[in-house]
């Protein structure tokens, strides 16, 4: 029985590090590397390395990328439940310059073919989990179907509403018990659903009471965890459902880290949060957030996303 089920995307990332980003029509040389990516896969690896028995539900092509996903998942003990797709496995083409700026093209491919019908077939898996975790790099109706199915069975659902440009409906957001936007995603959600225009950079500076009020408007009844990068996280609960905490809202400072690359920090946070909740569902929520902060901080200390996830469990 899986304790964490992650529903989401897998990409093969192709990365070229160049002196400068190529302009239209230019041909330049760069240092190439490739590796696994996709928020779903990254979060599944994080949950597994944080100690949870983890299943990853996704769609893969019948190609080298699909085989890569299965092989890497197996190395980390993640069970893969994949819908076979006629599209190529998801890809990312990433150029990074000397300043760390990047230009990215995503080929969603198979990820965009994950169907609600396939999700419906996974009902026993979803209903048997402690925690179901999803993001927005897959068809939104399939993500909504997964969260709805899990929730109907009393399973705790976490939605990481990423990337920021994915337009999730209120109905989808409200299938999450816990919503985990970063600052940019939080600002985008406020603009879309609360009628509040704000820049992501301004979120961390808001006072707690104001942030809490905005979270309550966005997800009445649920918990919102805003990740604030090197600042840490902000938590907002409904008064009637404090999840073992003493306060309805609070900040948790980030752990100090020798940061070299923050790619995938949010994925680390989400996978670790899910694993910790599955491990000790009765523990006060702030303890889960502290663990997720610790895990995410460690993930920033080496390059890459999935490959940079530490092996660190809640009891260690
Ligand atoms: P995303 O990767 O989605 O943009 P964030 O940047 O908010 O997400 O980071 C997610 C979490 O990772 C933060 O809440 C924090 O716990 C941790 N984190 C990110 N950057 C750092 C850092 N420089 N030092 C320590 N922890 C960090």
């Amino acid at each position: 029985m899986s304790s964490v089920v992650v529903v989401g995307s897998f990409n093969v990332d192709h990365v070229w590090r160049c002196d400068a980003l190529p302009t239209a029509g230019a041909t330049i040389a760069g240092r190439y590397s490739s590796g696994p990516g996709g928020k779903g896969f990254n979060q599944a690896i994080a949950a597994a390395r944080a100690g949870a028995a983890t299943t990853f539900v996704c769609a893969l092509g019948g190609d080298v990328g699909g085989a890569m996903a299965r092989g890497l998942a197996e190395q980390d003990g993640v069970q893969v439940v994949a819908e076979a797709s006629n599209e190529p496995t998801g890809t990312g083409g990433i150029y990074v310059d000397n300043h760390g700026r990047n230009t990215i093209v995503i080929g969603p491919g198979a990820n965009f073919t994950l169907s609600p019908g396939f999700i419906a077939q996974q009902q026993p898996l979803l209903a048997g989990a402690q925690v179901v975790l999803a993001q927005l790099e897959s068809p939104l109706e399939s993500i909504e179907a997964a969260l709805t199915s899990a929730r109907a069975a009393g399973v705790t659902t976490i939605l990481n509403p990423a990337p920021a440009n994915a337009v999730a409906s209120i109905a989808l957001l409200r299938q999450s018990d816990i919503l985990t936007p970063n600052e940019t995603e939080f600002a985008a959600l406020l603009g879309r659903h609360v009628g509040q225009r704000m820049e992501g950079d301004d979120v961390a500076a808001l006072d707690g009471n104001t942030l809490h009020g905005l979270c309550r408007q966005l997800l009445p009844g649920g918990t919102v965890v805003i990740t604030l990068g090197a600042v840490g996280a902000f938590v907002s609960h409904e008064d009637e459902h404090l999840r073992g905490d003493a306060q309805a809202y609070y900040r948790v400072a980030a752990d100090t880290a020798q940061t070299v690359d923050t790619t995938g920090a949010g994925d680390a946070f989400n996978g670790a949060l899910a694993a910790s909740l599955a491990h000790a569902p009765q523990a006060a929520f702030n303890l889960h957030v502290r663990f997720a902060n610790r895990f995410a901080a460690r993930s920033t200390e080496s390059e890459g996303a999935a490959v940079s996830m530490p092996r660190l469990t809640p009891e260690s």
Side-chain angles (χ1 to χ4, degrees), residues 7-297:
V7 182
S9 57
F10 171 82
N11 292 330
V12 181
D13 284 344
H14 300 274
V15 183
W16 290 265
R17 292 176 196 280
C18 328
D19 289 340
L21 297 177
T23 52
T27 301
I28 59 172
R31 186 164 58 85
Y32 175 78
S33 60
S34 83
K39 292 180 192 298
F41 184 79
N42 294 342
Q43 294 182 16
I45 296 296
R49 292 193 185 175
T54 304
T55 299
F56 176 42
V57 177
C58 60
L60 299 171
D63 49 17
V64 176
M68 178 179 172
R70 291 176 198 280
L72 290 171
E74 193 181 332
Q75 281 177 23
D76 271 290
V78 173
Q79 191 195 341
V80 175
V81 175
E83 181 171 12
S85 178
N86 292 327
E87 293 290 320
T89 297
T91 48
I94 304 164
Y95 304 134
V96 186
D97 74 8
N98 281 340
H99 303 283
R101 289 178 295 221
N102 57 32
T103 303
I104 302 177
V105 179
I106 297 286
N111 292 317
F112 270 14
T113 68
L114 182 66
S115 69
F118 185 75
I119 295 295
Q121 290 168 20
Q122 309 315 319
Q123 195 275 337
L125 173 70
L126 295 164
Q130 294 277 345
V131 177
V132 170
L133 167 62
Q135 325 73 32
L136 303 175
E137 286 186 331
S138 307
L140 299 184
E141 67 270 25
S142 301
I143 296 304
E144 188 169 345
L147 296 181
T148 306
S149 175
R151 212 153 185 235
V155 174
T156 300
T157 56
I158 306 178
L159 177 64
N160 175 221
N165 61 2
V167 182
S169 67
I170 274 286
L172 169 51
L173 298 181
R174 294 193 178 163
Q175 288 308 322
S176 58
D177 296 312
I178 302 164
L179 188 68
T180 58
N182 67 15
E183 295 148 290
T184 314
E185 292 145 9
F186 183 68
L189 290 172
L190 289 183
R192 259 183 228 120
H193 299 299
V194 180
Q196 177 88 32
R197 304 262 156 231
M198 185 181 301
E199 294 298 321
D201 287 347
D202 298 333
V203 169
L206 291 177
D207 68 90
N209 198 37
T210 305
L211 262 183
H212 180 53
L214 292 168
C215 292
R216 292 304 89 225
Q217 287 183 64
L218 187 60
L219 193 70
T223 292
V224 179
V225 182
I226 309 171
T227 60
L228 304 168
V231 174
F234 176 83
V235 176
S236 164
H237 297 300
E238 192 65 55
D239 272 337
E240 289 75 47
H241 196 19
L242 298 182
R243 298 184 178 278
D245 283 337
Q247 294 156 300
Y249 66 87
Y250 55 91
R251 285 173 204 264
V252 181
D255 266 33
T256 49
Q258 305 293 321
T259 299
V260 296
D261 178 10
T262 60
T263 311
D267 295 335
F269 185 96
N270 278 279
L273 182 67
S276 185
L277 276 160
H279 174 70
Q282 303 308 328
F285 193 77
N286 70 84
L287 298 176
H288 302 306
V289 176
R290 284 175 215 286
F291 172 69
N293 264 349
R294 192 149 61 91
F295 189 97

